[in-house]
Amino acid sequence: MKLIECLGRPVEGWDPNDGIWLPTETDLGNLAVKHLRLMELLAHVNVRLCQLEEVRSGNNGPSDFTTPSVARVDLMQEEIVYWLRRAADEVIGLDSVVNAWSKSGRWPNSVNPDCIGQLLGNEAALAPFADSREFLRCLNDISNAHKHSFFAAQVRPFGARQGLVLAIGLKRNDLDNELETLSTDLGELVEGFNRFFKVTTDRLLEAKLPPPSLYVRSFGEPIEEVWEFPIRTITGKTDC
């Protein structure tokens, strides 16, 4: 079973003392906390991957399309894809901010790119991750189909090999566009993330950043620092 790794081992074994020091006081908040939360997210993905393996191993007998374990595998795989997409977006935004500082010695006023879609549309920003282009496109397309496609809930990889992630995309849910069947192996998706994450981690290690004023000493240790932001109440119609 493949798991998400950092510095050559599963993220659960990551420790800030390995050398990834990020500033705690920037115009864009506490980057040390942001990185810590990213590692917690990826540790959660590994928990889900292990749970998925347990469900799969108990699903060897006769089954049909509505068997609870089949549905559970499908939903767990979709959840893992969602978290991988969320993590990739977080990694891209963090790399963007750190890269801006490395070039100018100033924190940017905006984070761009801050997600897979923006990165794929920016050849200059994508250049360091050229080997991950197809992985990023695959993750982006499948996660978007899961989230937006009207047909997403009408397909399940029943009878297919274990680990197959399947989605049907329809641009803007308009039948004038073509239906697109998207599929990938979950293990290959995890491997693709690991390759992409290694590049971004190496860039963080090489970045020339100001020294942090507060050090995170162990994985998961709470940080006694409050960063205040204005609170805006959202009312009425919103776009999701």
Side-chain angles (χ1 to χ4, degrees), residues 65 70-71 74-75 77-79 81 140-158 164-175 178-183:
F65 187 83
V70 174
D74 188 32
L75 291 171
Q77 290 187 157
E78 184 174 332
E79 179 188 351
V81 169
N140 190 59
D141 290 348
I142 288 182
S143 60
N144 280 344
H146 281 162
K147 181 179 180 182
H148 299 294
S149 175
F150 185 80
F151 289 85
Q154 302 180 47
V155 61
R156 178 173 293 167
F158 173 73
L164 178 69
V165 179
L166 185 64
I168 294 182
L170 179 63
K171 188 176 181 179
R172 303 188 185 282
N173 287 317
D174 186 342
L175 291 174
E178 291 187 7
L179 286 171
E180 185 178 16
T181 301
L182 307 165
S183 66

Side-chain angles (χ1 to χ4, degrees), residues 42-240:
L42 294 175
H44 175 72
V45 171
N46 279 352
V47 170
R48 283 291 187 256
L49 286 166
C50 292
Q51 292 173 337
L52 177 60
E53 189 67 19
E54 292 177 2
V55 174
R56 284 176 178 165
S57 63
N59 186 30
N60 297 322
S63 59
D64 60 38
F65 187 83
T66 59
T67 300
S69 56
V70 174
R72 189 178 177 196
V73 165
D74 188 32
L75 291 171
M76 290 178 75
Q77 290 187 157
E78 184 174 332
E79 179 188 351
I80 290 168
V81 169
Y82 166 80
W83 286 121
L84 287 178
R85 164 64 185 272
R86 166 78 180 274
D89 287 346
E90 294 283 351
V91 168
I92 290 166
L94 187 59
D95 179 85
S96 176
V97 169
V98 170
N99 186 52
W101 171 275
S102 296
K103 288 182 176 180
S104 68
R106 296 181 179 181
W107 300 112
N109 289 326
S110 63
V111 184
N112 190 342
D114 67 354
C115 63
I116 295 177
Q118 286 187 355
L119 183 63
L120 290 173
N122 185 332
E123 287 297 325
L126 182 61
F129 316 107
D131 291 343
S132 294
R133 182 193 299 265
E134 290 309 312
F135 155 73
L136 292 169
R137 191 180 305 280
C138 176
L139 180 59
N140 190 59
D141 290 348
I142 288 182
S143 60
N144 280 344
H146 281 162
K147 181 179 180 182
H148 299 294
S149 175
F150 185 80
F151 289 85
Q154 302 180 47
V155 61
R156 178 173 293 167
F158 173 73
R161 70 183 189 277
Q162 289 186 337
L164 178 69
V165 179
L166 185 64
I168 294 182
L170 179 63
K171 188 176 181 179
R172 303 188 185 282
N173 287 317
D174 186 342
L175 291 174
D176 287 337
N177 297 314
E178 291 187 7
L179 286 171
E180 185 178 16
T181 301
L182 307 165
S183 66
T184 189
D185 181 87
L186 185 60
E188 292 178 1
L189 211 57
V190 171
E191 286 185 343
F193 185 91
N194 280 336
R195 289 191 295 270
F196 169 68
F197 192 41
K198 182 180 186 306
V199 174
T200 58
T201 299
D202 288 344
R203 283 164 61 85
L204 288 180
L205 289 169
E206 295 167 1
K208 298 178 180 179
L209 295 170
S213 58
L214 177 66
Y215 288 44
V216 184
R217 296 181 179 175
S218 64
F219 180 63
E221 181 179 327
I223 297 176
E224 295 181 0
E225 179 174 313
V226 177
W227 191 270
E228 296 183 355
F229 293 95
I231 297 176
R232 178 169 65 93
T233 302
I234 301 175
T235 59
K237 183 178 179 180
T238 60
D239 293 328
C240 298

